[in-house]
Amino acid sequence: MVEKKLRLIKGDEAKRYVDFLKILREFDKLFTYDQGDDRNIGIMGGTFLELALEHVLRAFLPKSNSEVEKLFEVNGALSTFSNRISMTFSLGLVDKMVKDDLHVIRKIRNEFAHNLLVSFQDDKIASLCKALKWHKEAMLREPPEDATIRDLFQVGVHQVISHLHGCISIARAEKRKILNS
């Protein structure tokens, strides 16, 4: 049996993780079933997942490097939700089902961000929410029959967040280093 050494996180890595936990607690307060209108919930769910993907990628990519920082700048390769999804999948940090759900949530967020009158009652949003799969896999069952479309979205987002939270630790254990620096 191969033993793995426990690696404590420190410095910027620890600060980034503590910041993520603070943001996660704040998100949990705002993303409740009794708060926020549909638009806020639709935008907030996708926006937090975009942030979580940044934390997964930063945990994996080399630390304190100007080239890595450029990737996350406004017009950088990893500045968009879509690109972050593609990169985490391409690096093997998430599987296809999670990647697909992230893209569905991204589409839902974009609908809410670009259409002020959209709600979870709209056919397009309902269809997208019904396409979410990871929560069914994670919970090993279909949602209850009385679950609303907004329930499907919120549970789907929560399940992907829980998964990505674990991915941060896994990515950190496989952190890349700059060669010949």
Side-chain angles (χ1 to χ4, degrees):
M1 179 165 88
V2 177
E3 288 187 38
K4 286 196 171 197
K5 275 180 88 176
L6 180 63
R7 187 174 87 72
L8 297 176
I9 60 173
K10 53 189 172 198
D12 289 344
E13 202 171 38
K15 182 184 179 322
R16 186 176 299 113
Y17 187 67
V18 168
D19 288 347
F20 179 76
L21 292 177
K22 285 178 186 175
I23 294 167
L24 180 57
R25 278 192 296 275
E26 190 62 29
F27 172 79
D28 196 46
K29 288 180 201 170
L30 298 171
F31 197 73
T32 63
Y33 295 95
D34 59 347
Q35 297 230 358
D37 61 21
D38 283 2
R39 186 166 186 270
N40 287 337
I41 293 299
I43 292 171
M44 191 182 325
T47 300
F48 187 81
L49 283 168
E50 182 178 6
L51 175 68
L53 288 173
E54 179 177 345
H55 281 266
V56 172
L57 289 164
R58 285 185 181 275
F60 182 78
L61 295 170
K63 63 180 179 177
S64 302
N65 180 281
S66 63
E67 293 301 315
V68 171
E69 292 306 315
K70 287 179 191 175
L71 296 172
F72 293 98
E73 289 178 356
V74 173
N75 290 317
L78 298 175
S79 64
T80 68
F81 194 4
S82 182
N83 288 354
R84 289 175 187 184
I85 296 167
S86 295
M87 183 59 79
T88 54
F89 177 72
S90 297
L91 293 171
L93 299 170
V94 297
D95 67 17
K96 183 181 181 320
M97 187 181 299
V98 172
K99 173 197 64 111
D100 291 346
D101 271 11
L102 285 163
H103 277 300
V104 168
I105 293 165
R106 177 186 56 80
K107 289 174 186 175
I108 293 167
R109 183 198 62 180
N110 287 348
E111 282 296 315
F112 278 105
H114 298 288
N115 182 347
L116 295 176
L117 303 177
V118 74
S119 77
F120 284 107
Q121 311 321 309
D122 292 354
D123 290 342
K124 183 174 183 177
I125 296 294
S127 176
L128 287 167
C129 290
K130 289 175 184 175
L132 293 169
K133 292 185 173 92
W134 176 248
H135 66 284
K136 295 174 194 172
E137 184 78 17
M139 298 176 105
L140 300 174
R141 67 184 187 99
E142 290 293 318
E145 287 185 30
D146 63 341
T148 66
I149 297 301
R150 182 169 157 167
D151 291 339
L152 295 178
F153 179 76
Q154 287 189 268
V155 170
V157 167
H158 276 293
Q159 289 299 320
V160 174
I161 287 170
S162 294
H163 183 72
L164 292 179
H165 189 192
C167 290
I168 292 170
S169 296
I170 293 167
R172 190 181 312 111
E174 299 177 5
K175 189 162 198 69
R176 304 292 95 179
K177 296 185 183 343
I178 300 292
L179 299 176
N180 300 324
S181 59

